[in-house]
Amino acid sequence: AAAKAAADLVPSVKVSGRVQWDTDTFGQNDNSLATAGDALTGSEFRRLYLAASGSMFKVFDYKAEVDLVPAHVSWKDVYIEAHDLPVAQNILIGHFYTPFGLETENGDLNLTFIERSVLDSLGGIGSRHAGIRMSGRSFEDRAWWGIGVYATQKNEAPPTFPVSGFDDNAGTSIYGRTAFLPWYDEATNGRGLWHVGVSGEYGKIPTIRTAGTTRFSLSDKPEADLAPVVVTTGDLPDADAVSALNTETALVYGPLSIQAEYEWIHAHRTTTASPTFDGGYVYCSYFLTGENRVYDKTRGVFGRVSPNENFFRVRDEDCCIQTGMGAWEVGYRCSYLNLNDSGIQGGRLVDHTIGLNWYQTPYCKMMFDLVHSDVTDIKKGGVLNTGISSMNAFLTRVQFDF
């Protein structure tokens, strides 16, 4: 007992990491080449994380994580968390994801498709920022909530003050998210469930000290990291605040899963009409080998999938080949983003994605996605393009973590 008490005074340390190696191949029509430019085939380390995490004094957890991809070495999750507190329950301080949206909270290790949908981190909303967050659970772990205040500069991550003449007197955002389980099948440990949630954000946009104006824009690419930007509002120099609302739902019924989110982003402008942009996605997936998506009640998200049988192929003592299949999952997603409103012609983007995932073990998988993207109603050089800009992408990923 004395040895255990002494051990509790010393911080524990766990080293972890992840590797995601992607290859993207593209095809475009002439209209896409004219409006978006040439999408170049390539391979990359999408993520190359190394992290140290642990706990200390029974009530504190910590994590320090860095992305080692040479082109953009950067800190990711860097925080300390106090848990099991009265009322607030958990308080997190540092640099981490804001509580906004199901896909963002889910984490990239447990995504059904290689890339998140077109809603991902639009205008810096829902991405990692420096701040403080309170979170907790209630109703016998059927509900999760989180609210936080963050230092943010839209379209810049991580934020730095001052930078490029931008003042820090208005770079603050408030985020909040709550998620609830109206139905959870306890007998099967969540092989059947229904999840609903809502998120909100309000943030002030820093001013340019030299000009007395502000900066804010929304832009997006198809659901492929190496693709070029295909829709954009351009800079909104008189925008001084932005607010966003996100709704989410997911249904799991054995191997079948259905998930959807819809989001509205309102940019408040001081001298011209204030636009509201919107978008969303819906997808379904099915495990051909019978597994199901696993729900994490502690955070209101989905966690790691464990195959019923890990992949292996060996020769037994009778010289017969024995094989384990791993887990196989197929999925389809349709995404939509509209950046046209109040005189702004940023374009409309519709993506269709077909995916195939092979989970060899809980810590290793391969992913294959085919993405078809169409862009309409976008201005290029001040001229409205009335055609359809189409792009196809074939994506592969090899992923493992430890």
Side-chain angles (χ1 to χ4, degrees), residues 341-352:
D341 191 49
S342 300
I344 297 171
Q345 291 288 148
R348 292 185 175 90
L349 170 63
V350 177
D351 274 11
H352 300 274

Side-chain angles (χ1 to χ4, degrees), residues 125-394:
I125 299 170
S127 56
R128 286 183 176 92
H129 295 293
I132 180 171
R133 186 188 77 185
M134 295 187 301
S135 64
R137 307 190 303 274
S138 54
F139 300 105
E140 298 180 345
D141 289 347
R142 288 293 188 95
W144 181 94
W145 57 268
I147 184 170
V149 179
Y150 298 82
T152 60
Q153 286 188 343
K154 303 303 179 186
N155 301 335
E156 182 191 22
T160 56
F161 302 110
V163 60
S164 302
F166 288 89
D167 201 349
D168 61 352
N169 63 355
T172 305
S173 294
I174 300 175
Y175 285 84
R177 175 177 180 257
T178 184
F180 183 68
L181 287 171
W183 170 53
Y184 184 87
D185 188 9
E186 298 284 357
T188 60
N189 198 28
R191 269 184 69 86
L193 64 88
W194 178 30
H195 160 105
V196 294
V198 61
S199 308
E201 183 264 359
Y202 177 79
K204 299 294 289 182
I205 301 172
T207 59
I208 305 176
R209 289 174 293 178
T210 55
T213 57
T214 60
R215 62 165 187 183
F216 180 71
S217 67
L218 295 174
S219 60
D220 214 340
K221 57 178 69 175
E223 290 153 342
D225 185 58
L226 295 181
V229 170
V230 294
V231 291
T232 180
T233 62
D235 186 42
L236 308 180
D238 61 337
D240 67 344
V242 60
S243 56
L245 176 67
N246 177 286
T247 57
E248 61 188 62
T249 188
L251 175 70
V252 173
Y253 195 80
L256 176 66
S257 176
I258 301 172
Q259 180 174 310
E261 293 186 73
Y262 208 88
E263 188 173 317
W264 295 263
I265 299 175
H266 178 76
H268 180 265
R269 306 181 72 179
T270 58
T271 60
T272 53
S274 298
T276 299
F277 308 107
D278 64 303
Y281 72 87
V282 59
Y283 81 69
C284 61
S285 69
Y286 189 85
F287 281 92
L288 302 175
T289 45
E291 292 82 359
N292 61 278
R293 296 178 74 198
V294 178
Y295 193 80
D296 181 358
K297 285 185 175 182
T298 64
R299 298 188 301 122
V301 298
F302 289 94
R304 188 184 301 273
V305 172
S306 296
N308 292 333
E309 180 183 55
N310 289 339
F311 169 72
F312 63 90
R313 187 171 175 82
V314 298
R315 190 183 300 274
D316 63 18
E317 65 272 13
D318 298 321
C319 293
C320 297
I321 300 296
Q322 303 294 331
T323 301
M325 294 183 61
W328 290 82
E329 179 187 25
V330 294
Y332 166 75
R333 176 176 64 193
C334 180
S335 303
Y336 168 77
L337 179 63
N338 174 29
L339 296 184
N340 292 341
D341 191 49
S342 300
I344 297 171
Q345 291 288 148
R348 292 185 175 90
L349 170 63
V350 177
D351 274 11
H352 300 274
T353 302
I354 298 174
L356 173 67
N357 301 326
W358 179 27
Y359 302 77
Q360 292 97 347
T361 74
Y363 298 90
C364 181
K365 69 177 178 179
M366 298 181 67
M367 307 177 73
F368 309 89
D369 284 0
L370 181 62
V371 182
H372 176 79
S373 174
D374 287 330
V375 175
T376 56
D377 301 326
I378 185 173
K379 276 189 177 180
K380 182 71 173 181
V383 178
L384 180 64
N385 190 310
T386 58
I388 299 176
S389 300
S390 296
M391 182 184 300
N392 295 313
F394 179 65

